[in-house]
Amino acid sequence: MKYRISVDVGGTFTDLTIAESETFTQLGSHKSPTTPEDRSVGILNAMTLAAEGLNLTLQELLSQTAVFCHGSTTATNTIIEMSGAKTGLICTRGTKYILWRGEGRRQTMFNYKMEPNKPLIRPYLCREVTERIDAQGNILVPLNEDEVRAEVRQLREWGVEAIAVCTMWSIVNDKHERRIAEIIEEEWPGVDYCISSDIQPIIREYYRTSCVVLNAMLQPKVSRYLRNLQGKLEERGFRGETLIVVSNGGVVPISEVAKKPVFMLFSGPSMAPEAGYYFSEIEGIPNCITVDMGGTSFDVSTVLEGQVTTTKDGRILNYPTGVASIEIATLGAGGGSIATIDKGLIKVGPRSAEAVPGPACYMRGGTEPTVTDAYVVLGYISPEHFLNGRMKIDRDLAVKAVKEHIADPLGISVEDAALGITQVVNENMLGGILDMTIRRGVDPREFALVTGGGATAVPVAFLAREMGIRKIVIPRETSVLCAFGANNAAIAMSEVVSKYSDTGNFDYEGVNAAVAGITGKGSEFLTRMGIAPRDQKFELFVSARYPMQTTELEIPITLDDGKITPAKLDEITEAFHAAYLARYKTNDPASDVEFLMWRNMATFQRPKIVLAERAKSTEATPLSAMLSTSKAYFGGGEAVDMPIYDGDRLQYGMSVPGPALVVLPDTTIVVPPFATLNMRKHGYFVMDVDVDTQQTNARSRKRALAAAG
Amino acid sequence: MARDDILIPPYKTELFAEPIRPEEIAGLPGALDTGLDQVDPVTFSVVHARIEGIMTEMTETILATARNPILHGAKDFTCCLLDTYGASILSMVDCIPVHVGTMSPPLRFIIRAFGDDIREGDVFLNNASYAGNSHVGDFTMFAPIFYEGKIVAWACSKCHLLDIGAHLPTSMDPFAKDIYEEGFHFPGVRLCRDHKPITDLVRFIAYNFRYPQQWHGDFLAQLSSLWVAEARVIELCKRFGYDTFKGCLTESLRYGERAMREEIAKLPKITVTETLKTECFKGYIDEPLEFKMTLTIDPEEGYIDFDYSEMPDQIDFSYNLSYATCRCSAIQGTLPILSPDLPYNSGALDRIRVKQRVGALAGIPRWPVGTEVATVGLNDEVTNLVFKTWAKVLPDRALAGMGEHPAANHTGAGIDPRKNDQPYGHLHYLAASAAGATEGFDGLPHMFGHCIMGNMGYESLEIHEQSLPRIIWEVKAEQDSGGAGKWRGGIAMSHRLQPVDHDMQLIYCGVGHTWPAFGLYGGEGGEVADHWLLDAGTQEIEARLENMGETICRRDQHWYARTGGGGGFGDPLERDPAKVRDDARDGFISLKAAREVYGVVLDTKPELYAVDEAATQALRAEMRAAA
């Protein structure tokens, strides 16, 4: 068993990386178009490319593959397209409108010409049964089992494909939910169903209902998809282990997620931060920001002191998932974002040219200027070398779009208008980076910025300079970064338990029992994975707040011999006050602290991929890699000469001064005048940015802005 | 020096109504700097986006840190940035409509009262309606932001508090006939110096307000939001330079004015007058009065003028509008009519002028009459009239009447038997009223009235039951509550809850009981708001509650409160039968209404129902003939 393969199925491309499984040496990466009707086809195509790369047949490759890691947007797309199972909900009498009610706060207060928010499922599919449990777990009203039977039969008659169950306070007493589950099995054996206390026992009925309904919607389709994929691989000789990427950035076997597909919602992008960290760690930097610019969105994630940043509540289409996820700030700013003028201001996005018609320069009928068009106008994307010449683009169309829609109305040059578009979109992207750093009291200046996605290395130097970041890492695998990350990901499962207590009267016994429950589950999980106790790693967190607040701050905690002792409690309380002050600039140390939810993250870090070392070049200048010279515009009224280099011919030890353009098969790197690009011995690039000449000071343009509208 | 002529009330209205003149702030370093004359469009776009980001961060900070459910759950607060003249900057994102126009007046009063005695690290409070604030319950706190010794701007957070130390446990006491019954007023008081709370003052407030720990937490939350804004503005000044940043503030006001003038220029030159009957309150307004207003649009000069001088006289209870909320009602009803994405800054808002009469119910109240509930009931009624008046000018933008709350400002207070009988107070945001319909769209649900326009949050039932001794038996969409129409009025919600092992005091005052939310162009009115006490066992009605009062909900009773639905728009017989079917299936309308009001015949056997097209056409023809 020689190989370790990972595949990340994205919206457009299926990315694959492959490594040697004994020595963990990286062997290569491949891209193949995603096949939305049956994604396993695209996966097999990518695997065939990988096999060809090694002069093997697909059968030969698969029969020698020990581990197959899989990240997939299947779950994400199922929800985004609303193509999941038709789902019915069984809930407590008096709560059928919970999904329709949502959270309020529509945030567009002066707009009334709009449709109301759509509930995840229509109210008529939410079926109430008589029963009630209170906050302490007492049964106020017993379950009416006849009603449950009648509702299951009704849902069956309506052709529902999955049933979700969520009752009030099942997080403190799950007796009614369990009984409803038994009745479902009796009345309708074989139907897909799930209950909220199993899937994710979190407080707040709206979040928990949303989570369990999402899960039910995904369950039939995702488990079918995984079964089908596994079957196809086995038919072709695969005998290894399949691991699925989950939202928290770990990987788990299929058996662990088949019943909990809601945990797969961020399966693809959740690999980005860990993959970014892989490179920043080699560079000796414990903090990194991974940025990924796609066609319509810009994703930002961070690693702090080696820890990937996570959130308790990942969201999809603004529906809460209730599942702890890798925290990703997603901004509506990508290569396809359209630039417009609104009352004299350049605005970029949120409208996007999508894949069709695409940017104006794609020659597919788009006429509005996009960010990609601006890059083409500025010379940052070279028509001759775009995607290795596989895709034709027309610079004149880009110029026309920018001129007509932006430059002429503002009375400025086409180049200045294009630069303006990039500056506005950069500012939007900076917003995402700020969200993940400064706004949490984290200073980004000591971070490495790592790129994912083929186009991200175009704006990245400008972003770095604005943030005061000196070092950018551009992996050779940048266009398949998530697949690369999946090959490295730790086996990880997180378990939560809701158990309220406070410092005023701390329930040591109750909390310790609850915490023991989740740590026990974590260690059972890792043991099931065949991981020796000494390699099992556990991280505990608690969600805490001051009395009467309803938002919690999650802080890491440790136990004393498996328990919280009075001394430990003091330590946890101090840590909370300190974390609170850092985040909110005030705190209330005289106050009690309340603890709501405890989370355990059980992990096993698999050995990491090793990148081959390259020999140092005897040439210091990159002349041998130079392809041609073109023009580029970086402001100041004059375009400058800019050499273009072939990234594949650059060697370890070479240094490329800006301005320069470096092209790779799937990646373009812009090296502006204030930066220098170097190749490292492991084959990735590092761009050093001169941040001392930070930011072009606002130049007063000749025309008054007031006349622009 | 602080001005010593601003000491003894009543204060002149112009102290908060008139814009600050340059000579009044000349003593504050930097206050007169307007920054770079010409900021390039790119820099301006960038700074503008960043200021919006700061406002969002202020808002998120309060949501995460406040202790009071009307803040962290319902979001009854607004944050913004103002310039050194007290003009609000384009930056009120995610705000409460009734707060939009009530930011500048209380700051102008503070600027005038403190003169040049304003320093970095100060925080000021103004919750006094006779000093320019909206109402006594809104703790409006301001922090001046300095950069290298020069004042750049003011950060503001306006938060509605649960209690302000009145004789009744509420910040929404409808019975308060004058300010002395309303609670504690702070007409421009310094709360912090050098970024530290002035502890004797904090002690004084904590002693006088109920639930002092909760108040203190909210106070810290407000400070957090102000100081987060301060830190971010300083970062921006560092990054772009003081002159550029100031230039952007100046430009944003010009931008607001320009946008508003463009909108007004599209309007006809016209004068219209409209009326609406008032809500009745037993013992205060026994027979309905008539609200009357005149709207004049001058597209050339770029002004929208409202004349409120024919409004009824003020009444000795706290229902009267304050100066600020009265002016704001015109803004609340006008911005959405013109364009929902107009910048909410003084440059735009100052194009809307309101003639207010001294001593009027909706005008300028005469000292010291009560205005404690000025942000809800009457504000909504007057805003409804503003919309109705605009309907005469722009029928396609017209919005039918807003559904209201049976007890828009209702406090439930008691003791928590689970927590050693600790006293608690609470304003409820479990169920919201709905908006009227408009051409092309059904009325939106989850609105909470004009004063909120849907920008508050619902409480989680589980969080509510965890923190308070209650059981919420039901929150539901009220069937047939939306006024019928081609475009249906919004569906209202209700809640039904029971106090656990204690009897709960209810203090309430609401509107929308006397008259349904009006329909337009053949649309029917929405269902009125109402509330009852039910027997917990039998669910029989034991008492129908008035729209204003104080009562006890016993432990063996349910308090069932139904909010009002929105008014309909257009003839119900023209409603798309598929929409009628969807509504019927989801329980938003009854099968009876589907047939008798909308003339739609449904086959209710199949899951998705089915419209019987032929029968529907025949029935509708018959109904049209009968009408």
Side-chain angles (χ1 to χ4, degrees):
Chain A
M1 300 294 247
K2 288 173 66 174
Y3 303 109
R4 185 156 142 184
I5 292 177
S6 74
V7 171
D8 177 46
V9 181
T12 324
F13 285 108
T14 296
D15 299 340
L16 178 147
T17 69
I18 180 164
E20 213 281 330
S21 68
E22 303 285 312
T23 61
F24 312 110
T25 310
Q26 174 75 0
L27 295 174
S29 59
H30 303 274
K31 264 178 129 58
S32 180
T34 294
T35 48
E37 55 296 342
D38 179 359
R39 292 181 175 84
S40 64
V41 174
I43 294 173
L44 291 171
N45 289 344
M47 287 177 164
T48 307
L49 288 177
E52 285 165 1
L54 296 165
N55 290 317
L56 298 172
T57 65
L58 179 59
Q59 189 90 18
E60 285 166 343
L61 173 67
L62 282 176
S63 61
Q64 296 179 68
T65 298
V67 182
F68 165 53
C69 286
H70 182 34
S72 168
T73 50
T74 302
T76 322
N77 289 342
T78 301
I79 298 303
I80 287 173
E81 296 159 5
M82 279 292 153
S83 59
K86 178 176 173 183
T87 298
L89 171 72
I90 294 180
C91 60
T92 304
R93 185 156 303 287
T95 64
K96 72 178 274 190
Y97 286 104
I98 287 298
L99 290 177
W100 175 75
R101 175 180 181 256
E103 299 166 284
R105 284 201 66 194
R106 66 195 194 106
Q107 293 182 292
T108 46
M109 52 275 171
F110 288 140
N111 189 1
Y112 53 84
K113 293 240 181 211
M114 59 190 286
E115 299 291 340
N117 291 337
K118 276 200 172 60
L120 207 41
I121 54 176
R122 295 302 318 174
Y124 85 96
L125 286 169
C126 304
R127 313 301 301 179
E128 295 177 343
V129 295
T130 303
E131 67 88 34
R132 190 62 150 89
I133 288 168
D134 72 9
Q136 287 71 43
N138 306 309
I139 295 177
L140 301 181
V141 180
L143 179 67
N144 183 324
E145 300 193 0
D146 292 340
E147 288 180 8
V148 179
R149 285 180 203 284
E151 293 303 346
V152 174
R153 284 197 291 266
Q154 174 71 85
L155 290 172
R156 184 176 194 171
E157 196 183 306
W158 283 347
V160 157
E161 297 159 292
I163 299 176
V165 181
C166 186
T167 62
M168 289 285 288
W169 292 113
S170 63
I171 53 169
V172 290
N173 181 349
D174 61 5
K175 190 168 171 241
H176 286 174
E177 281 195 358
R178 302 238 165 263
R179 182 62 194 136
I180 292 169
E182 286 169 8
I183 295 173
I184 292 172
E185 298 210 1
E186 287 165 26
E187 288 293 326
W188 190 358
V191 68
D192 277 293
Y193 75 91
C194 46
I195 66 176
S196 79
S197 47
D198 263 355
I199 302 300
Q200 192 70 333
I202 46 167
I203 190 166
R204 289 186 177 88
E205 66 288 343
Y206 173 60
Y207 287 59
R208 196 167 69 254
T209 308
S210 178
C211 170
V212 72
V213 168
L214 283 168
N215 196 74
M217 294 169 101
L218 292 169
Q219 200 167 298
K221 189 165 179 173
V222 171
S223 53
R224 200 161 54 233
Y225 165 75
L226 293 174
R227 261 199 317 273
N228 168 43
L229 176 63
Q230 182 74 7
K232 285 195 173 170
L233 294 175
E234 284 171 4
E235 277 167 31
R236 287 161 182 78
F238 177 60
R239 295 290 172 269
E241 187 176 7
T242 302
L243 297 174
I244 302 295
V245 175
V246 289
S247 302
N248 66 13
V251 291
V252 299
I254 285 186
S255 56
E256 300 289 329
V257 286
K259 288 275 176 195
K260 290 185 177 184
V262 69
F263 284 78
M264 270 181 72
L265 271 174
F266 304 101
S267 175
S270 73
M271 282 297 128
E274 189 72 45
Y277 179 63
Y278 175 89
F279 293 95
S280 81
E281 198 181 18
I282 304 180
E283 287 290 304
I285 302 175
N287 300 308
C288 75
I289 304 168
T290 304
V291 292
D292 187 335
M293 184 174 79
T296 56
S297 67
F298 180 78
D299 290 346
V300 186
S301 54
T302 55
V303 174
L304 304 180
E305 299 297 328
Q307 293 286 323
V308 174
T309 310
T310 55
T311 167
K312 286 182 300 166
D313 176 36
R315 283 184 176 234
I316 185 157
L317 301 178
N318 208 30
Y319 296 118
T321 67
V323 171
S325 305
I326 293 290
E327 187 150 26
I328 303 169
T330 298
L331 282 293
S337 295
I338 291 172
T340 53
I341 290 188
D342 179 29
K343 300 192 175 79
L345 306 186
I346 299 177
K347 263 194 170 169
V348 182
R351 225 153 46 80
S352 160
E354 315 274 337
V356 180
C361 64
Y362 281 15
M363 303 184 285
R364 290 185 194 142
T367 55
E368 291 181 283
T370 64
V371 172
T372 301
D373 292 311
Y375 291 159
V376 172
V377 169
L378 294 169
Y380 301 172
I381 290 178
S382 155
E384 292 79 44
H385 302 101
F386 187 56
L387 288 181
N388 222 11
R390 284 189 315 240
M391 171 118 183
K392 297 282 167 247
I393 52 178
D394 184 343
R395 182 171 188 273
D396 292 344
L397 289 177
V399 169
K400 183 167 184 276
V402 174
K403 182 174 174 3
E404 283 177 4
H405 290 87
I406 308 292
D408 288 352
L410 286 179
I412 56 180
S413 73
V414 174
E415 288 76 17
D416 277 322
L419 195 66
I421 293 171
T422 66
Q423 285 173 337
V424 171
V425 79
N426 286 355
E427 200 60 33
N428 293 349
M429 296 182 193
L430 285 175
I433 300 177
L434 284 168
D435 269 344
M436 296 294 292
T437 55
I438 289 176
R439 291 189 190 142
R440 293 153 195 233
V442 173
D443 186 342
R445 280 174 295 193
E446 301 308 315
F447 281 54
L449 198 54
V450 185
T451 61
T456 316
V458 175
V460 71
F462 302 95
L463 300 177
R465 186 174 58 163
E466 289 298 312
M467 301 292 296
I469 296 172
R470 291 165 193 278
K471 188 176 269 187
I472 302 165
V473 180
I474 304 160
R476 201 162 276 276
E477 294 76 12
T478 193
S479 73
V480 294
L481 193 68
C482 287
F484 181 80
N487 237 356
N488 267 324
I491 292 176
M493 196 69 190
S494 84
E495 291 283 349
V496 298
V497 60
S498 292
K499 169 66 197 168
Y500 174 88
S501 198
D502 56 56
T503 50
N505 183 20
F506 194 77
D507 174 8
Y508 289 96
E509 204 175 315
V511 170
N512 281 325
V515 170
I518 53 172
T519 52
K521 277 189 197 166
S523 103
E524 278 167 34
F525 160 71
L526 291 179
T527 305
R528 243 184 353 259
M529 299 297 103
I531 293 153
R534 66 171 183 284
D535 294 328
Q536 300 182 355
K537 191 176 150 206
F538 301 99
E539 290 167 280
L540 274 171
F541 303 86
V542 64
S543 297
R545 66 185 187 199
Y546 289 122
M548 294 167 287
Q549 292 183 330
T550 54
T551 301
E552 299 87 40
L553 198 57
E554 191 177 61
I555 56 165
I557 62 165
T558 56
L559 301 179
D560 186 356
D561 196 19
K563 286 199 160 38
I564 294 172
T565 58
K568 268 289 163 199
L569 182 64
D570 288 346
E571 199 182 288
I572 293 168
T573 309
E574 283 310 305
F576 172 76
H577 292 311
Y580 193 96
L581 182 63
R583 175 93 183 250
Y584 299 119
K585 303 204 179 291
T586 65
N587 70 358
D588 195 1
S591 166
D592 279 348
V593 176
E594 300 181 337
F595 305 97
L596 276 93
M597 198 160 80
W598 310 79
R599 183 162 75 87
N600 178 41
M601 184 81 172
T603 50
F604 165 64
Q605 182 57 58
R606 298 181 295 156
K608 293 206 170 182
I609 301 297
V610 179
L611 295 174
E613 295 191 11
R614 297 169 183 236
K616 193 158 185 168
S617 162
T618 50
E619 302 164 51
T621 61
L623 278 178
S624 61
M626 195 162 127
L627 293 168
S628 60
T629 301
S630 67
K631 290 270 184 200
Y633 185 71
F634 296 96
E638 288 281 326
V640 295
D641 287 332
M642 178 174 70
I644 301 180
Y645 296 96
D646 179 349
D648 280 336
R649 276 156 52 196
L650 286 174
Q651 295 175 51
Y652 167 39
M654 284 182 176
S655 181
V656 177
L661 197 65
V662 175
V663 292
L664 285 146
D666 298 305
T667 305
T668 299
I669 304 170
V670 171
V671 189
F674 53 83
T676 310
L677 188 76
N678 295 291
M679 192 204 268
R680 292 291 202 253
K681 80 177 161 204
H682 291 102
Y684 60 87
F685 300 98
V686 169
M687 186 146 46
D688 294 306
V689 181
D690 174 10
V691 297
D692 298 324
T693 58
Q694 197 186 356
Q695 102 100 35
T696 38
N697 255 324
R699 290 174 310 279
S700 188
R701 294 235 159 80
K702 278 188 183 139
R703 49 186 314 290
L705 183 78
Chain B
M1 274 296 291
R3 267 172 69 169
D4 52 12
D5 59 331
I6 306 182
L7 271 182
I8 308 301
Y11 308 119
K12 293 191 182 87
T13 303
E14 67 227 38
L15 287 175
F16 46 86
E18 290 296 317
I20 301 277
R21 295 180 306 279
E23 61 270 25
E24 292 182 277
I25 48 171
L28 270 181
L32 298 179
D33 297 348
T34 50
L36 265 192
D37 233 8
Q38 292 174 357
V39 186
D40 70 280
V42 173
T43 304
F44 178 53
S45 307
V46 164
V47 172
H48 197 269
R50 183 60 68 242
I51 291 176
E52 274 194 25
I54 294 174
M55 298 306 105
T56 305
E57 192 178 0
M58 290 179 82
T59 302
E60 295 299 329
T61 300
I62 292 183
L63 284 175
T65 61
R67 311 289 174 93
N68 171 346
I70 43 181
L71 301 180
H72 60 59
K75 210 196 97 49
D76 188 350
F77 67 87
T78 296
C79 298
C80 86
L81 209 64
L82 303 101
D83 75 0
T84 54
Y85 292 78
S88 61
I89 300 300
L90 170 63
S91 47
M92 269 185 270
V93 290
D94 200 2
C95 56
I96 297 292
V98 72
H99 291 167
V100 168
T102 61
M103 292 300 200
S104 294
L107 178 56
R108 289 185 192 133
F109 186 85
I110 285 170
I111 290 172
R112 290 195 165 103
F114 285 87
D116 51 13
D117 184 23
I118 290 169
R119 293 205 312 236
E120 185 167 7
D122 283 351
V123 173
F124 301 93
L125 163 66
N126 187 348
N127 74 328
S129 59
Y130 289 93
N133 195 40
S134 37
H135 80 132
V136 62
D138 282 341
F139 244 45
T140 313
M141 281 168 46
F142 297 94
I145 301 173
F146 285 78
Y147 180 70
E148 293 181 343
K150 289 183 278 193
I151 185 165
V152 184
W154 291 82
C156 168
S157 84
K158 183 189 281 268
C159 288
H160 187 185
L161 300 187
L162 203 47
D163 192 88
I164 26 94
H167 71 292
L168 285 175
T170 175
S171 58
M172 284 298 215
D173 171 11
F175 304 104
K177 69 176 185 297
D178 57 35
I179 60 164
Y180 307 107
E181 294 185 358
E182 289 187 343
F184 284 89
H185 295 73
F186 298 84
V189 170
R190 187 180 353 248
L191 279 186
C192 294
R193 189 118 237 198
D194 300 322
H195 293 105
K196 286 191 187 62
I198 295 169
T199 48
D200 45 0
L201 203 46
V202 172
R203 202 155 40 236
F204 165 76
I205 297 173
Y207 191 90
N208 282 290
F209 286 16
R210 290 172 189 84
Y211 332 121
Q213 199 194 4
Q214 196 167 15
W215 167 72
H216 184 242
D218 290 342
F219 172 61
L220 292 179
Q222 287 193 268
L223 290 182
S224 288
S225 78
L226 295 175
W227 290 342
V228 159
E230 180 185 36
R232 299 296 176 258
V233 168
I234 290 170
E235 281 164 22
L236 277 180
C237 288
K238 265 193 198 134
R239 190 165 148 211
F240 290 95
Y242 169 82
D243 277 339
T244 306
F245 185 75
K246 275 240 157 142
C248 289
L249 297 191
T250 309
E251 175 56 26
S252 86
L253 291 172
R254 285 202 294 258
Y255 165 60
E257 181 179 336
R258 196 164 68 227
M260 194 64 166
R261 278 175 177 275
E262 275 174 30
E263 285 295 322
I264 297 173
K266 295 179 202 159
L267 299 174
K269 193 177 172 75
I270 198 172
T271 296
V272 290
T273 298
E274 185 58 284
T275 61
L276 190 70
K277 277 183 290 185
T278 69
E279 182 84 1
C280 296
F281 295 97
K282 213 177 261 176
Y284 295 94
I285 304 177
D286 286 311
E287 290 301 320
L289 306 169
E290 188 180 72
F291 294 122
K292 187 173 183 185
M293 66 172 60
T294 299
L295 162 64
T296 303
I297 301 165
D298 186 340
E300 286 112 53
E301 288 300 309
Y303 277 111
I304 292 169
D305 282 296
F306 285 91
D307 186 347
Y308 282 22
S309 51
E310 290 180 77
M311 288 289 186
D313 289 338
Q314 68 182 50
I315 294 173
D316 281 344
F317 71 140
S318 76
Y319 200 64
N320 305 286
L321 291 187
S322 59
Y323 161 81
T325 57
C326 176
R327 179 171 176 274
C328 196
S329 64
I331 294 169
Q332 289 164 246
T334 297
L335 288 185
I337 288 288
L338 296 186
S339 165
D341 52 5
L342 279 169
Y344 315 140
N345 71 25
S346 290
L349 303 188
D350 288 350
R351 310 313 295 174
I352 303 170
R353 297 184 298 199
V354 186
K355 190 172 174 193
Q356 297 167 252
R357 176 170 70 85
V358 176
L361 190 60
I364 299 170
R366 188 177 286 120
W367 169 273
V369 75
T371 62
E372 189 165 357
V373 299
T375 48
V376 284
L378 180 56
N379 175 276
D380 263 39
E381 285 192 81
V382 174
T383 306
N384 241 347
L385 175 56
V386 175
F387 274 99
K388 202 174 170 213
T389 310
W390 273 108
K392 286 188 158 175
V393 182
L394 299 171
D396 61 319
R397 297 281 314 167
L399 185 70
M402 173 72 81
E404 292 299 338
H405 282 226
N409 33 327
H410 46 268
T411 307
I415 46 111
D416 190 341
R418 306 173 308 178
K419 296 179 183 163
N420 302 318
D421 290 349
Q422 177 188 309
Y424 74 81
H426 189 71
L427 283 148
H428 301 84
Y429 295 91
L430 291 163
S433 70
T438 177
E439 177 72 53
F441 293 89
D442 290 344
L444 289 163
H446 321 311
M447 293 303 276
F448 297 101
H450 280 307
C451 52
I452 315 294
M453 272 292 224
N455 202 26
M456 275 195 181
Y458 281 125
E459 296 174 72
S460 148
L461 310 187
E462 285 180 342
I463 292 286
H464 187 106
E465 292 183 3
Q466 185 183 59
S467 49
L468 296 165
R470 311 268 180 77
I471 293 291
I472 299 154
W473 290 105
E474 184 163 52
V475 290
K476 71 169 178 196
E478 279 288 336
Q479 196 165 68
D480 293 332
S481 57
K486 178 180 181 188
W487 306 103
R488 170 180 52 60
I491 301 296
M493 291 202 83
S494 64
H495 70 236
R496 181 162 56 81
L497 61 84
Q498 180 177 15
V500 173
D501 295 338
H502 74 292
D503 301 328
M504 173 175 71
Q505 182 185 15
L506 280 175
I507 302 153
Y508 48 89
C509 173
V511 289
H513 286 235
T514 316
W515 314 104
F518 62 84
L520 284 175
Y521 308 106
E524 296 183 3
E527 181 68 85
V528 293
D530 227 332
H531 59 158
W532 302 267
L533 295 176
L534 312 179
D535 179 281
T538 64
Q539 294 295 300
E540 271 165 30
I541 294 173
E542 299 200 327
R544 174 170 179 266
L545 302 177
E546 296 289 333
N547 53 357
M548 173 173 164
E550 186 196 345
T551 192
I552 297 291
C553 174
R554 294 190 317 268
R555 62 198 74 198
D556 60 352
Q557 289 180 317
H558 288 183
W559 175 39
Y560 169 38
R562 185 187 73 198
T563 67
F569 190 107
D571 182 356
L573 294 180
E574 287 175 24
R575 184 165 176 78
D576 179 355
K579 284 185 186 289
V580 175
R581 176 202 61 200
D582 288 350
D583 279 353
R585 195 180 53 190
D586 282 333
F588 296 149
I589 63 169
S590 61
L591 291 170
K592 186 168 182 275
R595 179 179 266 276
E596 294 174 11
V597 180
Y598 290 99
V600 173
V601 183
L602 296 172
D603 175 4
T604 57
K605 275 243 175 65
E607 173 201 1
L608 299 177
Y609 291 11
V611 178
D612 185 332
E613 299 286 350
T616 297
Q617 271 182 22
L619 178 59
R620 284 186 161 185
E622 191 184 308
M623 288 168 77
R624 281 200 189 91

